[in-house]
Amino acid sequence: MNAAAIEHLPRVAAGLRYLEPTSEKPRSLEFDPPPGVPQTTAVYREHTVEIRDVRPVAATLSLEDEGFQLLSAPTSVTDFEDEEAIRTRYYAETVSLLEELTGASRVVVFDHTIRRRIPGAADRRSGIPRQPVPRVHNDYTVKSGPQRVRDLLGDEADALLQKRFSVINVWRPIRGPVQDSPLAVTDARSVAQHDLVATDLVYPDRMGEIYYVKFNPEHKWFYAPAMRSDEVMLIKCYDSVADGRARFVPHSAFVDPTTPLGAAPRESIELRTLVFYG
C-alpha cells in the first residue's frame, strides 16, 4: 500500500480503546480474582480513529510489509461446533495454507479460540465461546514469542529458535458476512516500538506477556467490511527477525457505525500458529 492509495480508501470513524500510560508494568489476571483484587491494573481510554476499508488494495498486502493479509480461503468444515473437525481437518487446511503462502518449513497450530459476541455479557476466562476483544492489543511480545516455542516444543525449542519464526493468527468468520463487531488491524509500519507496552498475563499455572498499546495518531487502521466465512485475515503477532519487516500488528474488535440494526452478533474462530522458516 502506498500513501496515495490509502488516502482514497473508504473509511469509517470509530472508537478504539487504547491503554493509558502508566508508570508501572500493567498486569491482567486470566482467572476470576479473589474479592477485592482487580482483574487488571490496566486503564483504557477510547480514541476515535479512521478505519479504512482494505478491500480495494487487498491484493497489495503482505505479511512482510503491513503484517496482515486478507485471503480467499474456503474450508471444508461447516460445523464449528465439531471440535474433532476443527482439530483435524481445519488445522490441516490452515497448515497447508500457511506453508504455501509463506514457504515455511514447518507450521504448528497450537491453539484456537471461538468467539461469539453475546450483548451485555462479560467475557469468559475459560471454555467457549469467548467474547470479541474490544481493546487494542498484540498477542505476543519480544519475550513471550520465543517463550511460547519453549513451552510447546520442549527439547526441540533450542534448535528451532536458532532460525527465524513467526506467530501468525488466522482469523475467520464462522457465520458471515460479519457486520457486528468486526476486526480492525494496524499497518505494522505505522506502529512505533514505544507504543507497545508489555503487560503480564497471570494464569493459574504460568505467566504470559502481551502488548497493550498506547494511542498514537500515526497508527493506520484497516478492516475488511462484511467478511465472509470463506475468507481469512492473517495477522502477524510476532516475528523473530528485527530487520525492518513487520513484527507486531496491534488489532481490536470495534463498533462499526454502519452496522445495520438487527445484524447477527459476530461469530469467529482464530487459530494461533508457529511458522518456522528454513
Side-chain angles (χ1 to χ4, degrees):
M1 281 189 294
N2 60 49
I6 290 173
E7 288 311 308
H8 289 92
L9 293 175
R11 66 201 65 194
V12 296
L16 293 179
R17 295 177 67 202
Y18 279 92
L19 180 73
E20 285 284 84
T22 177
S23 59
E24 297 183 353
K25 185 178 184 180
R27 67 109 183 100
S28 290
L29 303 181
E30 295 300 298
F31 55 88
D32 293 330
V37 176
Q39 193 84 53
T40 180
T41 60
V43 176
Y44 306 93
R45 184 157 69 93
E46 186 172 284
H47 295 262
T48 300
V49 301
E50 289 188 335
I51 307 177
R52 297 168 173 86
D53 177 356
V54 81
R55 287 192 178 278
V57 293
T60 71
L61 301 173
S62 80
L63 290 172
E64 302 299 89
D65 294 328
E66 294 82 8
F68 66 93
Q69 208 163 350
L70 176 69
L71 299 176
S72 174
T75 175
S76 65
V77 178
T78 57
D79 180 7
F80 283 91
E81 301 283 354
D82 186 340
E83 187 78 4
E84 181 66 18
I86 292 172
R87 293 186 176 275
T88 54
R89 282 189 287 140
Y90 191 53
Y91 277 25
E93 290 173 353
T94 300
V95 168
S96 296
L97 174 70
L98 291 177
E99 286 177 340
E100 181 177 351
L101 181 73
T102 67
S105 57
R106 182 178 178 186
V107 175
V108 177
V109 179
F110 64 87
D111 125 343
H112 71 270
T113 299
I114 291 175
R115 299 189 189 275
R116 292 186 174 93
R117 193 177 75 80
I118 303 172
D123 192 20
R124 299 170 61 177
R125 298 293 175 205
S126 61
I128 57 174
R130 299 289 304 271
Q131 292 269 54
V133 180
R135 298 177 297 280
V136 180
H137 67 287
N138 185 78
D139 297 25
Y140 289 90
T141 69
V142 168
K143 175 183 174 182
S144 63
Q147 186 59 48
R148 204 73 183 110
V149 177
R150 297 187 188 98
D151 291 344
L152 292 165
L153 298 179
D155 293 342
E156 298 180 84
D158 286 344
L160 289 169
L161 291 173
Q162 299 304 308
K163 300 177 181 180
R164 180 190 168 212
F165 80 97
S166 60
V167 183
I168 297 176
N169 184 325
V170 182
W171 191 94
R172 179 190 297 272
I174 290 176
R175 179 173 61 177
V178 169
Q179 297 175 302
D180 167 78
S181 195
L183 178 72
V185 294
T186 51
D187 183 337
R189 298 169 299 181
S190 70
V191 180
Q193 186 63 39
H194 59 73
D195 299 335
L196 305 173
V197 180
T199 300
D200 286 331
L201 294 183
V202 184
Y203 295 87
D205 57 346
R206 67 182 180 91
M207 182 80 77
E209 190 176 70
I210 193 173
Y211 281 137
Y212 288 144
V213 184
K214 295 184 294 185
F215 176 68
N216 184 334
E218 297 301 315
H219 293 165
K220 298 292 190 295
W221 284 97
F222 301 90
Y223 80 124
M227 270 190 72
R228 307 184 306 270
S229 57
D230 64 350
E231 296 180 304
V232 295
M233 184 74 80
L234 308 182
I235 310 165
K236 191 195 286 186
C237 297
Y238 175 86
D239 199 305
S240 62
V241 175
D243 62 356
R245 74 186 75 201
R247 297 191 75 195
F248 308 108
V249 177
H251 48 282
S252 176
F254 73 100
V255 177
D256 184 345
T258 68
T259 299
L261 287 174
R266 187 242 271 192
E267 298 183 32
S268 60
I269 183 170
E270 59 209 57
L271 267 59
R272 298 176 186 86
T273 69
L274 299 173
V275 180
F276 298 97
Y277 306 89

